[in-house]
Amino acid sequence: RTKAMVAYTTTSYTTGWMNGDIKLAALANSATADRSVNNKQLTQYGTITAAPVATGADVVAYSGFSSSNYLEQPYNTDMASTKAVMGWFKTDANAAFNVPVFWGNGTETGSYFLLTPVSGSTGRPLFRIFDGTGTWSATSPSFDAKSRTVFLAGVINGNNLDLYVNGELDITTNITSFAGFTGSDQVLRIGKGAVSGVPVDPDWGLSLLRISATAPTADQIRKIYNDEKVLFQPNAKATLTGSSDAVTALAHDPDTEL
């Protein structure tokens, strides 16, 4: 179970690869559905924009987030066991600091984690954790995520906090004193953080968000990126054609990898 990966594909959505003890598979052609086996739905506040990730593509991205337009999941004990947060992000040239994925309370005084593609004017991705006492961050040293579609994976791997960018390990931070996540008032928010975490730029998009209690291996993250990147091309198909989820045929183009 800890080493396995599985993906669900139906006539209406694909989850992307889910690794190990998956806790959430969200934003898979639905703003609120949890496609994982846990089926713990999100609640939508305000208006969220949904649009294909590319012209004619099946996968949908969600955007338009603000202090009043966001998604939230109530306190869920599963989130305290988080070891990996991953998803596909798209930003524009004007993107500024925002908090696309945040789990914590409203004052950032308890445990929390956050993952963002843009952590300042340099546009560098960031994965940060807080155990109630200490804070650890893995910030990309050079990657500029502005005006890009980028796959990010933040991983708590033993004594390391790892940030992967487009399938490759970008930076590692030592977290030997990290005590784990605790508390009972944290919520998962997409598009809105704590008091200081309101997105500055509402135009970034997010799709195929996954949170797992299992840290994926470097090879698994590389496979996830390489297998899923083709879904973000124009006219890329990601769902089963027709009215049934039964698989009756499969075609593969070895030249385009579609």
Side-chain angles (χ1 to χ4, degrees), residues 29-161:
N29 289 22
S30 170
T32 58
D34 175 11
R35 309 294 193 183
S36 77
V37 294
N38 299 289
N39 192 30
K40 294 184 177 179
Q41 305 295 297
L42 300 168
T43 299
Q44 178 175 319
Y45 293 92
T47 302
I48 304 298
T49 301
V53 294
T55 302
D58 282 348
V59 173
V60 172
Y62 297 85
S63 61
F65 297 102
S66 71
S67 59
S68 57
N69 302 313
Y70 60 96
L71 301 169
E72 184 175 288
Q73 184 189 74
Y75 177 73
N76 174 3
T77 56
D78 288 343
M79 292 296 117
S81 61
T82 294
K83 290 294 187 292
V85 185
M86 66 183 77
W88 288 87
F89 302 80
K90 184 177 182 179
T91 65
D92 63 17
N94 299 316
F97 183 81
N98 52 55
V99 185
V101 183
F102 175 84
W103 178 81
N105 61 27
T107 60
E108 292 187 352
T109 56
S111 298
Y112 72 79
F113 63 74
L114 68 86
L115 178 66
T116 176
V118 177
S119 61
S121 59
T122 56
R124 296 178 184 176
L126 162 71
F127 183 47
R128 177 180 292 161
I129 60 174
F130 177 61
D131 65 3
T133 302
T135 304
W136 296 266
S137 298
T139 305
S140 176
S142 59
F143 187 86
D144 186 351
K146 291 185 178 182
S147 301
R148 297 172 183 259
T149 295
V150 57
F151 174 72
L152 299 179
V155 180
I156 301 171
N157 182 21
N159 292 329
N160 293 325
L161 186 70

